[in-house]
Amino acid sequence: MKTLRLDKKDIHTVVELLKEGKVVAFPTDTVYGLAVIYENEEALNALKKSKGRPENKPIPTMVASIEQMETIAYVDEKAKCLANAFMPGGFTMILKKKENLPDYITNGLDTVGIRMPDDEFILNLIHLCNKPLLVTSANLSGLQPGNTTEEVLEQLDGRIDAIVNGTPAGTMASTIVDMSSSKLNIIRDGAITKEEIMEVVNKC
């Protein structure tokens, strides 16, 4: 496989590749991401294969709006309050999934991780695909994600279908907050601090 190099102006080509089930890397507002279109099991398997082994944890879902989030997960008032405060941005919420969500997307779990990137290119990409994207870090399993196009290609050249040239807006991964039960639980520290989260929660 030859990895195709594209620019952001080639967004319609990227959309077509994703709709065809291809694996595409692009810079996000946190780190470089590796993406496939939502609800395509073969594409998801190809993404996992490109990273070197099956992922043991589900791939997070990227959406373009809170309305799109509500089509795949149960979003209560507290979750909506946090979404309005920190999305789009480096903030991932784990929520109870809707029954219509295929089990292969969540590795059989009854929860789903959702993020809305603070990146106009990716939000446009999701709108044009008319579906969410499944996005994980762009690296071989066990290695650090690349922060440049060249660093990503050092690990994944020939293993993925295409890469969009660019540089991530940040170097820190998103904060992950589990909102799937009555108790809020911060799973991973990241771009949004615990203090910022609790300040919003206390006002909700």
Side-chain angles (χ1 to χ4, degrees):
M1 180 196 304
K2 181 175 175 58
T3 298
L4 181 66
R5 293 187 65 156
L6 300 167
D7 295 311
K8 289 184 177 181
K9 64 179 176 60
D10 303 314
I11 187 168
H12 292 286
T13 301
V14 178
V15 169
E16 288 309 308
L17 288 169
L18 288 167
K19 285 183 175 180
E20 291 169 7
K22 305 300 186 185
V23 182
V24 181
F26 48 67
T28 77
D29 54 333
T30 55
V31 296
Y32 236 102
L34 199 59
V36 292
I37 200 162
Y38 192 71
E39 291 182 324
N40 186 323
E41 189 171 6
E42 287 185 10
L44 179 57
N45 288 336
L47 181 152
K48 292 176 178 179
K49 185 178 179 181
S50 72
K51 286 177 68 86
R53 64 170 174 79
E55 290 287 310
N56 294 320
K57 55 188 177 181
I59 306 297
T61 302
M62 274 193 181
V63 298
S65 65
I66 293 176
E67 291 73 24
Q68 197 172 49
M69 184 189 311
E70 289 176 317
T71 66
I72 60 175
Y74 291 100
V75 186
D76 63 18
E77 286 306 310
K78 187 176 288 186
K80 189 173 288 187
C81 191
L82 285 169
N84 284 322
F86 301 120
M87 292 182 171
F91 188 73
T92 298
M93 276 198 287
I94 298 174
L95 300 168
K96 285 284 187 184
K97 74 170 188 174
K98 290 275 179 76
E99 287 75 12
N100 63 329
L101 201 65
D103 281 345
Y104 67 80
I105 288 179
T106 64
N107 279 20
L109 298 176
D110 64 353
T111 56
V112 58
I114 304 176
R115 189 163 97 76
M116 191 188 308
D118 188 12
D119 185 287
E120 185 178 355
F121 171 78
I122 305 173
L123 293 176
N124 286 339
L125 201 58
I126 296 169
H127 280 302
L128 291 169
C129 286
N130 202 28
K131 282 185 179 181
L133 298 177
L134 300 175
V135 186
T136 185
S137 57
N139 57 280
L140 290 172
S141 292
L143 299 182
Q144 289 296 313
N147 286 320
T148 66
T149 307
E150 298 303 332
E151 286 179 2
V152 172
L153 286 174
E154 281 179 19
Q155 296 186 45
L156 298 175
D157 195 9
R159 302 179 69 94
I160 59 176
D161 296 287
I163 187 167
V164 179
N165 295 315
T167 306
T171 56
M172 187 178 292
S174 66
T175 300
I176 301 178
V177 178
D178 189 342
M179 303 278 296
S180 64
S181 66
S182 58
K183 183 181 178 182
L184 181 151
N185 186 22
I186 297 176
I187 302 295
R188 182 178 73 192
D189 293 326
I192 309 297
T193 67
K194 179 180 180 180
E195 289 72 25
E196 290 174 308
I197 293 166
M198 297 314 299
E199 184 176 348
V200 170
V201 168
N202 291 333
K203 292 178 180 177
C204 289

